[in-house]
Amino acid sequence: MSEHQLNQISWNKLNGLGPEGKSPYFQQDGRTFHALVAQQFSRPMLEDLCSLATCVRKIAKSREGCSFLQSRLFDKRAMLYFAQPSTRTYLSFDSACQTVGLDCMDVRDSSTSSEVKGESPEDTVRTFSSYTDLIIMRHPAGGFAERIAWMLSNTSRPVPVINAGSGKDQHPTQALLDIYTLERSFEKIGGIDEKKVAFVGDLKRGRTVRSLAWLLTQYENVKMYFVAPQELQIGEDVLAQLDAVGVPYEICYEFETIIPEVDAIYMTRIQDEWDIDNESSLIDTSEFYFTKEYLNILKKDAVIMHPLPRRKEIDVAVDSDPRAVYWRQVRNGMWIRSALILSIFGLDGRVRDYYKEEIS
Amino acid sequence: MSEHQLNQISWNKLNGLGPEGKSPYFQQDGRTFHALVAQQFSRPMLEDLCSLATCVRKIAKSREGCSFLQSRLFDKRAMLYFAQPSTRTYLSFDSACQTVGLDCMDVRDSSTSSEVKGESPEDTVRTFSSYTDLIIMRHPAGGFAERIAWMLSNTSRPVPVINAGSGKDQHPTQALLDIYTLERSFEKIGGIDEKKVAFVGDLKRGRTVRSLAWLLTQYENVKMYFVAPQELQIGEDVLAQLDAVGVPYEICYEFETIIPEVDAIYMTRIQDEWDIDNESSLIDTSEFYFTKEYLNILKKDAVIMHPLPRRKEIDVAVDSDPRAVYWRQVRNGMWIRSALILSIFGLDGRVRDYYKEEIS
Amino acid sequence: MSEHQLNQISWNKLNGLGPEGKSPYFQQDGRTFHALVAQQFSRPMLEDLCSLATCVRKIAKSREGCSFLQSRLFDKRAMLYFAQPSTRTYLSFDSACQTVGLDCMDVRDSSTSSEVKGESPEDTVRTFSSYTDLIIMRHPAGGFAERIAWMLSNTSRPVPVINAGSGKDQHPTQALLDIYTLERSFEKIGGIDEKKVAFVGDLKRGRTVRSLAWLLTQYENVKMYFVAPQELQIGEDVLAQLDAVGVPYEICYEFETIIPEVDAIYMTRIQDEWDIDNESSLIDTSEFYFTKEYLNILKKDAVIMHPLPRRKEIDVAVDSDPRAVYWRQVRNGMWIRSALILSIFGLDGRVRDYYKEEIS
């Protein structure tokens, strides 16, 4: 089965129920169980997670708050299984776990010793699940996190799975942190509704763009701009989805002219680690770099985002501008992941209560 | 000195005292200090550890219990030194340490940077011992854990060593978890005494089989079956030991006929990572796989075990049968290792008291 | 810029202020912020750190003390970033962090996945700083820790940096632990003042010797002996610095004759991992080994030190002599690093108060 087909399955599941007549994504009370694909998050869920992330962020400012957050999950344990290395995402989850007081174990190798001994990937993860209460997993194979989530749902000791990136298609917590960053950035100017968002760079292969574009369709009158050289433009399947829900967009081949128009510029990196025949190195993308001069034509309330790591797409001289929010984006990832973990373990309400009583 | 000779030394030591006139294995009050070889555990010690593991397992079910278990060893620290990678054993010990609230540091490389700089393995581990209160160690060299244990016993700051697998010979905590699994499985049918246990697969090289066979000789009227192709049959030295203590056994070259007879089937994996000239790939072991059909002829109270990882020895369709206990075996490893650590640190009594007062 | 030039910059900075008109090393109240070079530590600061390390060491002897130490920094998090592997230093810092209750995250690879994706080293560390409150960093490039410290000082969320070894020049916490070991060793015989210290072995490339020699110039009438074959003798730049501050020294090419004269013998390992054309293997250093026989001519109050790992420089038979303090040196590293971390986070006074009230 191709990765595209596996991804289709995800979309289909969201319209109904899984093979056993129950949803793979949600618990009976509607809370998230497995966090596998960006598309499973509805707008109310996104808003809930964002407001919970803000509670966590503000609670964590005081020693008492840190102590409260760390006191909830001492009887649980998470497994950080990164079969595909990703230092950034690994550390973000690790710090999120520490924020909420969840002990971690980690495997950060591309192959475990058990796999070397001929074990199936399913057995490997099932072993991990025996020791833990949550599996946070990054894997090069598309659809793998979903396969594992189904398997673990059908054991005597079901363990939730958070997909920390699988294959080319899904990296749902990146999409969550992007939404949270947009929400925080536009907090005082009416939120995400009515905003114009430009995606710039390698739109063909960047999974963050695909996921975020989908989530943005849930907001009112958001217009998207896809700004890239022809060879790296956004896939037709994404455009078909946008058409299907009636969301407006523009395809642009020229960067400078759209800068003064938009509220958010989402820069991306050329993903040549996916590039088998190394074609991208032949494409000149320098016209799509955000230079210091562009700060002069950018709206004063606009923001520049980047999922990082960056190469040359954004001049380091841009970093000190208050509209450059990519470093804040990094910390937002820690907060939204903390919120997601708390939510999976049913601590949403307890944290909001503490926030109401002690902080706000 | 050959590994066989080193192993002989262990056996000899158990009959007397070590070079300095004291036992390397036990503390003055009889508690385990170093856990190096399966043979150091007498039946009363096994029963003590198993009952302690059950206390830990039941205490850990509640938040209060977890909090109690984690509050004991905060002033200690363990070193997980895995010079030979073993994801499964590593995680089991790591989760055991977290269960009992013992902070861990880890080195999981086949070579440390100090060794690269020309340091002796003894100096390397002595350095580790400087930072910690317990060393949990896996090493490819047979006898190495014992050599280290002796060295550390003779420093001004003796630190206990748990052998997490060394060379071809010893993996004592695997044998402990196997005994614990058998005890739990036969809890309602009279315990391990009088039972028939079949070992199946690669008996020549599997160290778990050797260790477990020895421990089983301490129970009453246990009969063992060694089921394997000629080339992978159990070593003559093991049979000689069984003969010496008068324990009955059968050598079998055919699997199906013994299935209806036995109470436990201990499947093993072909250990071709030990196989220098790769001879095992030429041996057809498919007659020794446990297939779904065999469930029909297996006793209703019998259990199927496997130290994992498995390859094709057990059909995944067998997993959902309640007699397949190999996944439970994984968690049993965590509980018995927790018990062993608590026992080494002298917390045995404190945990039993808590269990009596709060749980039973 | 050569490493030597970068190092010169450090020295220059200490005589004045950094590029932004403020010191990169100290906080406004005079406490250490970044710990980057040995030269930033004045004698009063060294004495403060040593006495704080002793407080920590004695407090940690009791369960109550451990609990106190671990209760201070639960709301902080450290990053252990070892771009150049160093098991020993890594573990020492890890155990120091655990001693003071500071949660850690670690990256112990020579390259992170982000760097593979084309990220600049500055962006990599800035990401780490987003998740943490302290960066402990080892890096093969000389001057890198200082560059990073400056960068992080100029962000909206400054994070302190401890240099755990960079390039050939600096490893300041090694120098601190050496000073602490000398202070402890000479506690009852008047401290470091007036003592004679011999450095033996590879003095050309060993950065610990360079740093320690500099710190010793701050004590009264310390005399140094540099004992090495011609090819591995101490650099002219170090001697020029000693001359500049009027500190006496001797250059020696013969080991045995100075042994009865000195109070401390600082043995070092031949650093052939720095050795590009492998010249050191041609140099016979066996005349500079400390053999068991030398114990007979060594002063009764003298000490033998070694930064470890050792090769053949010290006979293992020497280890059991009470004057061999290199294993104690290892634990001293843990205590002085704990003290440094506590000091950076402003907990110096709180720890001293506890010590006065509960211990002394």
Side-chain angles (χ1 to χ4, degrees):
Chain A
M1 200 182 303
S2 74
E3 290 193 17
H4 179 256
Q5 283 175 304
L6 277 164
N7 201 34
Q8 277 307 114
I9 288 175
S10 311
W11 286 63
N12 292 340
K13 274 186 201 158
L14 287 167
N15 300 321
L17 295 170
E20 306 279 316
K22 49 185 179 176
S23 164
Y25 303 107
F26 308 116
Q27 308 189 33
Q28 287 197 322
D29 61 2
R31 275 189 298 115
T32 301
F33 187 64
H34 300 302
L36 303 175
V37 296
Q39 296 88 331
Q40 79 185 75
F41 295 96
S42 65
R43 178 162 177 178
M45 293 172 73
L46 292 173
E47 288 175 349
D48 269 5
L49 276 175
C50 288
S51 73
L52 186 61
T54 295
C55 290
V56 173
R57 181 165 56 83
K58 292 185 176 173
I59 291 172
K61 284 184 200 294
S62 73
R63 277 173 66 85
E64 294 72 28
C66 285
S67 181
F68 163 76
L69 289 170
Q70 291 174 20
S71 68
R72 298 292 101 193
L73 289 169
F74 66 83
D75 59 334
K76 305 287 185 225
R77 196 154 47 227
M79 176 75 205
L80 293 170
Y81 174 39
F82 279 61
Q84 184 189 41
S86 175
T87 309
R88 178 180 311 277
T89 305
Y90 172 81
L91 293 173
S92 181
F93 272 112
D94 197 4
S95 53
C97 287
Q98 293 190 0
T99 299
V100 300
L102 185 62
D103 274 341
C104 286
M105 302 200 294
D106 69 283
V107 169
R108 289 183 258 178
D109 299 307
S110 51
S111 70
T112 65
S113 62
S114 297
E115 283 171 323
V116 170
K117 293 172 187 163
E119 189 176 54
S120 73
E122 282 84 356
D123 274 15
T124 298
V125 183
R126 184 154 182 188
T127 300
F128 298 164
S129 80
S130 301
Y131 303 125
T132 56
D133 304 282
L134 169 66
I135 292 183
I136 297 165
M137 180 167 101
R138 189 184 189 96
H139 202 277
F144 184 67
E146 293 174 83
R147 219 162 73 215
I148 290 297
W150 270 108
M151 180 190 74
L152 293 180
S153 290
N154 292 306
T155 64
S156 59
R157 192 173 167 280
V159 166
V161 173
I162 296 178
N163 182 0
S166 65
K168 297 183 192 180
D169 286 322
Q170 283 291 343
H171 191 6
T173 58
Q174 175 71 44
L176 293 178
L177 80 87
D178 290 337
I179 286 288
Y180 182 47
T181 300
L182 288 169
E183 280 234 345
R184 280 190 71 186
S185 301
F186 300 146
E187 199 181 5
K188 292 176 182 164
I189 53 169
I192 297 173
D193 293 331
E194 316 287 339
K195 296 297 180 294
K196 293 177 178 173
V197 180
F199 296 99
V200 185
D202 184 352
L203 309 182
K204 189 178 169 195
R205 286 163 300 189
R207 58 189 167 190
T208 60
V209 170
R210 303 172 70 93
S211 301
L212 181 54
W214 200 91
L215 292 187
L216 285 175
T217 64
Q218 304 195 44
Y219 292 80
E220 299 297 318
N221 296 322
V222 169
K223 182 171 175 183
M224 297 181 225
Y225 298 73
F226 299 103
V227 188
Q230 183 98 47
E231 302 88 333
L232 299 176
Q233 262 296 356
I234 192 79
E236 287 297 325
D237 57 330
V238 175
L239 300 182
Q241 286 161 11
L242 297 181
D243 287 336
V245 289
V247 167
Y249 60 85
E250 272 184 36
I251 305 293
C252 315
Y253 299 101
E254 210 265 325
F255 186 20
E256 188 168 353
T257 51
I258 67 100
I259 292 174
E261 287 188 43
V262 297
D263 302 293
I265 294 179
Y266 195 100
M267 302 295 297
T268 64
R269 180 178 59 88
I270 299 216
Q271 308 259 329
D272 56 15
E273 68 266 30
W274 299 122
D275 195 354
I276 292 154
D277 33 75
N278 206 20
E279 60 188 24
S280 63
S281 57
L282 302 171
I283 303 167
D284 179 13
T285 55
S286 61
E287 292 291 312
F288 299 87
Y289 292 173
F290 196 102
T291 63
K292 204 179 170 185
E293 289 68 38
Y294 287 166
L295 289 170
N296 300 321
I297 58 171
L298 184 69
K299 279 186 185 177
K300 87 173 163 42
D301 287 330
V303 290
I304 309 160
M305 297 170 68
H306 194 301
L308 303 178
R310 71 171 151 189
R311 288 181 182 178
K312 298 176 185 163
E313 305 90 35
I314 303 178
D315 189 333
V316 291
V318 172
D319 290 17
S320 54
D321 191 281
R323 292 166 292 181
V325 297
Y326 30 92
W327 293 114
R328 190 178 301 171
Q329 217 175 332
V330 172
R331 280 179 69 80
N332 286 341
M334 182 172 78
W335 302 126
I336 200 82
R337 286 171 176 127
S338 299
L340 178 62
I341 293 167
L342 289 166
S343 166
I344 286 173
F345 283 115
L347 291 167
D348 191 302
R350 187 75 193 78
V351 171
R352 286 181 203 281
D353 286 349
Y354 181 92
Y355 179 78
K356 270 179 223 150
E357 288 160 27
E358 306 290 334
I359 314 283
S360 67
Chain B
M1 201 181 301
S2 75
E3 289 193 16
H4 180 255
Q5 283 173 303
L6 276 164
N7 201 36
Q8 276 309 113
I9 288 176
S10 311
W11 285 65
N12 292 340
K13 275 185 201 158
L14 288 167
N15 299 323
L17 295 172
E20 306 279 313
K22 50 185 178 176
S23 164
Y25 304 108
F26 308 116
Q27 307 189 36
Q28 289 196 322
D29 61 2
R31 277 188 296 116
T32 300
F33 187 66
H34 299 302
L36 303 175
V37 297
Q39 296 88 330
Q40 78 185 77
F41 295 96
S42 65
R43 179 162 177 176
M45 293 172 73
L46 293 173
E47 287 174 351
D48 268 5
L49 275 176
C50 287
S51 74
L52 186 60
T54 295
C55 290
V56 173
R57 181 165 57 82
K58 291 185 177 173
I59 291 172
K61 284 185 199 294
S62 74
R63 275 172 67 84
E64 293 71 28
C66 286
S67 181
F68 163 76
L69 290 169
Q70 291 174 19
S71 68
R72 298 292 102 194
L73 289 169
F74 65 85
D75 59 333
K76 304 288 185 224
R77 195 154 48 227
M79 177 74 206
L80 293 170
Y81 175 38
F82 278 63
Q84 183 188 42
S86 175
T87 310
R88 177 180 312 278
T89 306
Y90 172 81
L91 293 174
S92 182
F93 271 111
D94 196 6
S95 52
C97 288
Q98 294 190 359
T99 299
V100 300
L102 185 62
D103 274 340
C104 286
M105 301 200 293
D106 68 284
V107 169
R108 289 184 257 179
D109 300 307
S110 51
S111 70
T112 65
S113 61
S114 297
E115 283 171 323
V116 170
K117 293 172 188 164
E119 188 176 55
S120 74
E122 282 83 355
D123 273 15
T124 298
V125 183
R126 183 152 184 191
T127 301
F128 298 165
S129 80
S130 301
Y131 303 126
T132 56
D133 304 284
L134 170 65
I135 293 185
I136 298 165
M137 182 167 97
R138 189 184 190 96
H139 202 277
F144 183 67
E146 291 173 84
R147 219 163 72 217
I148 290 297
W150 270 109
M151 179 191 74
L152 292 180
S153 290
N154 292 308
T155 63
S156 59
R157 194 174 167 279
V159 166
V161 173
I162 296 178
N163 182 0
S166 65
K168 297 183 191 180
D169 286 323
Q170 283 291 344
H171 190 7
T173 57
Q174 176 70 45
L176 293 178
L177 81 87
D178 290 337
I179 286 288
Y180 183 47
T181 301
L182 288 168
E183 280 234 343
R184 281 189 72 186
S185 300
F186 300 146
E187 197 180 7
K188 293 176 182 164
I189 53 170
I192 296 174
D193 293 332
E194 316 287 340
K195 297 297 180 296
K196 295 178 179 171
V197 180
F199 295 98
V200 185
D202 183 351
L203 309 182
K204 189 179 171 196
R205 287 164 297 191
R207 57 189 166 190
T208 61
V209 170
R210 303 173 70 91
S211 302
L212 181 55
W214 200 91
L215 291 187
L216 285 175
T217 63
Q218 306 196 43
Y219 292 81
E220 299 298 318
N221 296 323
V222 168
K223 181 171 176 186
M224 297 183 225
Y225 298 75
F226 299 101
V227 189
Q230 185 96 47
E231 302 88 334
L232 299 176
Q233 261 297 357
I234 193 78
E236 286 298 327
D237 58 330
V238 175
L239 299 182
Q241 287 160 10
L242 297 181
D243 287 336
V245 289
V247 166
Y249 59 85
E250 271 184 35
I251 305 293
C252 316
Y253 299 102
E254 209 265 325
F255 187 19
E256 189 168 354
T257 52
I258 67 99
I259 292 173
E261 287 187 43
V262 298
D263 302 292
I265 294 179
Y266 195 99
M267 303 295 297
T268 64
R269 179 178 59 88
I270 300 216
Q271 307 259 330
D272 56 15
E273 67 265 30
W274 298 122
D275 196 354
I276 291 153
D277 33 74
N278 207 20
E279 61 190 21
S280 64
S281 57
L282 301 170
I283 303 167
D284 180 13
T285 55
S286 61
E287 292 293 311
F288 299 87
Y289 293 173
F290 196 102
T291 62
K292 203 178 171 185
E293 289 68 38
Y294 286 166
L295 289 171
N296 299 322
I297 58 170
L298 184 69
K299 279 185 184 177
K300 85 173 166 40
D301 287 329
V303 290
I304 310 159
M305 295 169 69
H306 194 300
L308 302 179
R310 71 171 151 188
R311 288 181 182 177
K312 297 176 187 164
E313 306 90 34
I314 304 178
D315 188 332
V316 291
V318 172
D319 290 16
S320 54
D321 191 281
R323 293 167 292 182
V325 298
Y326 31 91
W327 292 113
R328 192 178 299 171
Q329 218 175 331
V330 172
R331 279 179 70 79
N332 286 342
M334 181 172 76
W335 302 126
I336 200 82
R337 287 173 176 127
S338 299
L340 178 62
I341 293 167
L342 289 165
S343 166
I344 286 173
F345 284 114
L347 291 167
D348 191 302
R350 187 74 193 78
V351 171
R352 287 183 203 279
D353 288 348
Y354 182 92
Y355 179 78
K356 271 180 223 148
E357 287 160 27
E358 305 290 334
I359 313 284
S360 67
Chain C
M1 202 181 301
S2 76
E3 289 192 17
H4 179 255
Q5 284 175 301
L6 277 164
N7 201 35
Q8 276 308 113
I9 288 175
S10 310
W11 286 64
N12 292 339
K13 273 185 202 159
L14 287 166
N15 299 322
L17 296 171
E20 307 277 314
K22 48 185 178 176
S23 163
Y25 303 106
F26 308 116
Q27 307 189 33
Q28 288 197 323
D29 61 2
R31 278 189 295 115
T32 301
F33 187 64
H34 299 303
L36 303 176
V37 296
Q39 295 88 330
Q40 78 185 76
F41 294 97
S42 64
R43 180 163 176 179
M45 293 172 72
L46 292 172
E47 288 174 350
D48 269 4
L49 276 175
C50 287
S51 74
L52 186 60
T54 294
C55 290
V56 173
R57 182 166 56 81
K58 292 185 176 172
I59 291 171
K61 283 186 200 293
S62 74
R63 277 171 66 84
E64 294 69 28
C66 285
S67 181
F68 163 75
L69 289 169
Q70 291 174 20
S71 67
R72 297 292 99 193
L73 289 169
F74 65 84
D75 58 334
K76 304 287 185 227
R77 195 153 48 227
M79 177 75 206
L80 292 171
Y81 174 39
F82 278 63
Q84 184 188 42
S86 175
T87 309
R88 176 179 313 277
T89 306
Y90 173 82
L91 293 173
S92 181
F93 272 111
D94 197 5
S95 53
C97 288
Q98 294 189 0
T99 299
V100 301
L102 185 61
D103 274 340
C104 287
M105 302 199 294
D106 68 283
V107 169
R108 288 183 259 179
D109 298 308
S110 52
S111 69
T112 65
S113 62
S114 297
E115 283 171 322
V116 171
K117 292 172 188 163
E119 189 177 55
S120 73
E122 283 83 357
D123 274 14
T124 297
V125 183
R126 183 153 185 190
T127 300
F128 297 165
S129 80
S130 301
Y131 303 126
T132 56
D133 303 284
L134 169 65
I135 292 184
I136 298 165
M137 181 167 98
R138 190 185 189 95
H139 202 277
F144 183 67
E146 292 173 83
R147 219 162 72 217
I148 290 297
W150 270 108
M151 179 189 74
L152 292 180
S153 289
N154 292 306
T155 63
S156 58
R157 194 174 166 279
V159 167
V161 173
I162 296 178
N163 182 0
S166 63
K168 297 184 192 179
D169 286 323
Q170 283 291 343
H171 190 6
T173 58
Q174 176 69 45
L176 294 178
L177 80 87
D178 290 337
I179 286 289
Y180 183 47
T181 300
L182 288 169
E183 280 235 345
R184 281 189 70 185
S185 301
F186 299 146
E187 197 179 7
K188 293 175 184 166
I189 53 169
I192 297 172
D193 293 331
E194 317 286 339
K195 296 296 180 297
K196 295 176 179 173
V197 180
F199 296 98
V200 185
D202 184 351
L203 310 181
K204 189 179 171 196
R205 286 163 299 191
R207 58 189 166 190
T208 61
V209 170
R210 303 173 69 91
S211 301
L212 181 55
W214 200 91
L215 292 187
L216 285 174
T217 63
Q218 305 195 43
Y219 291 81
E220 298 298 317
N221 296 322
V222 169
K223 182 172 176 186
M224 298 182 225
Y225 298 75
F226 300 102
V227 188
Q230 184 97 47
E231 302 89 334
L232 299 176
Q233 261 296 357
I234 192 78
E236 287 298 327
D237 56 329
V238 175
L239 300 181
Q241 287 160 10
L242 297 180
D243 287 336
V245 289
V247 167
Y249 58 85
E250 272 184 33
I251 305 292
C252 316
Y253 299 103
E254 210 265 324
F255 188 19
E256 190 168 354
T257 51
I258 67 100
I259 292 174
E261 288 187 42
V262 298
D263 302 292
I265 294 180
Y266 195 100
M267 303 294 296
T268 65
R269 179 178 58 86
I270 300 216
Q271 308 259 331
D272 57 13
E273 68 266 30
W274 298 122
D275 196 354
I276 292 154
D277 35 74
N278 206 22
E279 61 189 23
S280 62
S281 56
L282 301 170
I283 303 167
D284 179 14
T285 56
S286 61
E287 292 292 312
F288 299 87
Y289 293 172
F290 195 101
T291 63
K292 203 179 169 184
E293 290 67 38
Y294 287 164
L295 289 171
N296 300 322
I297 57 170
L298 185 69
K299 280 186 185 175
K300 85 174 166 38
D301 287 330
V303 291
I304 310 159
M305 297 169 68
H306 195 301
L308 302 180
R310 72 170 151 190
R311 289 182 181 175
K312 298 176 185 163
E313 306 90 33
I314 303 177
D315 189 333
V316 291
V318 172
D319 291 16
S320 53
D321 191 280
R323 292 167 292 180
V325 298
Y326 30 91
W327 294 114
R328 190 178 301 170
Q329 218 175 332
V330 173
R331 279 178 71 79
N332 285 341
M334 181 172 78
W335 302 126
I336 200 82
R337 286 172 176 127
S338 299
L340 178 62
I341 293 167
L342 288 166
S343 166
I344 287 173
F345 284 115
L347 291 167
D348 191 302
R350 187 76 194 77
V351 171
R352 287 183 203 280
D353 287 348
Y354 182 92
Y355 179 77
K356 271 179 224 151
E357 288 159 26
E358 307 289 335
I359 314 283
S360 67

